[in-house]
Amino acid sequence: MDERSSLPLTYEELLARPASEAEKLLAGLSFREQLQLVLSAPWHLRPRIITLSPLAEGLVRNLPPQELFLTLKAVSTEEAVDLLAYAKGEQIQLIFDLDAWRKDRIVDERFLAWLVLLFEAGEDSVARWLRVADFDFLVAVLQRFIRVVKRPDDTDLTEALDWLPPYTLDDTYFIEFRKKKFEFYFRRIVEIVRDMEETYYYNLMEALIWELPSQVEEMAYRWRRGRLADHGIPDYFDALEVYAPLADGRLRQVDPRYLPGREPEEERGPQPGFLPVIHRPGAERFTLALSRVSDPAQLDRLKRELAWITNKVLTVDHINLDEISQVEDSLNKVLGYLNIGLEYLAGPDPEAGARVLENYFLEDIFRLAHTLIVRLRKKAREISSQEGLDTRVLRHLDEPFASYLKGVTAREANRLKFYVPEKAGTAEEYRWFRELSEVRYVEDLLDMVGYWAPLIQRAFGPPPLWVAEIATRRTNFLEPRDITWSALILTALANWVCFGEFRFEALPVEKWPEALKHLLEPGPAGERNRFSGKLRETLHRNFRQLAQQTLYYAPEHTENFLRFVTSRFEEEFAFAEPDSPPEPRYVRYLLIALD
């Protein structure tokens, strides 16, 4: 969509050159190529490219409004002021539409922040905005900061000055500024409006006097919705469709006769308000398939659709546009879902992926991926709703299984995420799904958890019995959450080798050395200890019998989880000396009574 492959150079290559050389390279490109280059770059790098161009003003004025807005959000104040100085009035109005509202109400602080920045860019920029500003929006914001009083026709000016507000331009309309800190800005707005057109000025003053604030704000909101829709930014309720399940699982096919690029140019709609850069980590499959699409009309359609989907996600997910990181995260989500849907439909072949992109709507591909991910939540809920299962059993699930389960049990279906164990404990431990293999991995893991949950309850009873073991005795486990499924199995196994009974009960501390000798097979000098192969086979055999008596026997699930359990024990005691066992207080996967 940023069409990097059609450009003679990339933004990375351009910015790596000295400034003088970069200016010459940029000057050698056509205006369209320069604009494509700007749109291909991350938001925070765009000012550097624009300032190198001899066509800087034209580049800014041809940026889609939402792209300009996000660029301004990502750069420094000084860079934002420089870009705003070039902006068209329509772009500035769209910036207010995007950021000066929360739902259907104007937010004073956001409007003032942009107004101050606009004045920093110069009063020419303010005038460009005022010439095209939405009249109802202008009235609605001015009513919050100024009060206008009209001198009665039958009142002498000298007498009226005693009770009228002090500021006037024409001895007819007198203005009181409600916030002295911002008086300069609103005084200049009034003066600029009067200098532009007196009739407009008089209409504005009358509206400020007579219009009801609630009604004029409602009308301004309606006009705002229309302008945003014209630029591919949907209303919240329209945007909800992006998360709707597909009817009968069928994708709508694209009719090539109606592709936007094949309409006469004068009949095409405006450029979408947001042209996302798709060359991001996790979007490789989608990017590769897209690179195989050569039809300009198809590329134009895909560009518009990607903008439309991204704006829907931003709207429904209530993304704070002040936080560029949140916007980028939403883009990662969209591209990740498209990656998943594309692989599901076309497999790993990029040529097949290109045919899918040409034949089906991106929104349906996104919705297909969302449907696959939501099925994970359904499967997770089916685990806890198994007949006779005490859901407290799941509170003791080992990591990382517990975190994978948590990621797909969010209350809202659009918040389901993939757990990344390598990032555990950081802000990045959960991220959006972006590969079909991740969806299938979590699906298999949930199947295994659903299989084992009733087995654990059948083998060890309900969770309150487990917790009683640490509530009534002094043990190495300090909290109920220390009792995991692995700890249940390993503790029961230790009791079996010491007392001949497979039960979850704190192992007497004097039996700890004996249990360790049975559970471990010492490795050769300098090598890791191994879990007893004989006991591993015994575990597998006993749980197979229990599964056959309880529900059904799944060899793969049985083997995989027991391998996980024994590997945990091996990791903890890889280099332990059975004749000199570690301090029992610090043992993690086996409950030991210390009293």
Side-chain angles (χ1 to χ4, degrees), residues 18 47 133 187 275 286 298 325 328 370 377 407 458 562 571:
R187 177 165 51 82
L275 304 175
F286 176 66
Q298 287 281 9
S325 61
E328 292 179 334
H370 178 67
R377 185 175 71 161
R458 178 71 181 272
L562 290 179
E571 289 172 9

Side-chain angles (χ1 to χ4, degrees), residues 1 16 19 23 27 83 91 142 151 155 160 164 200 212 218 229 233 242 316 325 373 398 410 423 440 451 528 592:
M1 245 64 75
E23 287 178 358
L83 296 181
Q91 290 173 310
L142 289 180
R151 177 173 65 87
T155 303
L164 289 170
Y200 187 84
L212 292 175
E218 181 182 350
I233 304 169
V242 78
V316 177
S325 61
I373 293 168
D398 289 84
K423 303 285 186 178
R440 288 174 172 163
Y451 169 78
R528 298 167 62 93
I592 301 174

Side-chain angles (χ1 to χ4, degrees), residues 273-292:
F274 183 36
L275 304 175
V277 177
I278 64 165
H279 294 271
R280 304 176 71 86
E284 291 81 7
R285 194 178 307 280
F286 176 66
T287 304
L288 194 57
L290 187 66
S291 69
R292 302 296 200 274

Side-chain angles (χ1 to χ4, degrees), residues 119-173:
F119 269 96
E120 288 291 323
E123 291 192 357
D124 286 345
S125 298
V126 179
R128 283 199 300 275
W129 166 58
L130 289 172
R131 288 190 186 96
V132 300
D134 176 72
F135 184 78
D136 292 305
F137 175 72
L138 188 58
V139 172
V141 293
L142 289 180
Q143 282 180 330
R144 295 163 178 263
F145 297 102
I146 68 176
R147 182 174 71 92
V148 179
V149 179
K150 186 176 182 179
R151 177 173 65 87
D153 294 335
D154 57 354
T155 303
D156 181 72
L157 176 61
T158 305
E159 296 176 1
L161 290 176
D162 293 335
W163 53 272
L164 289 170
Y167 180 79
T168 182
L169 292 175
D170 54 9
D171 293 335
T172 300
Y173 298 102

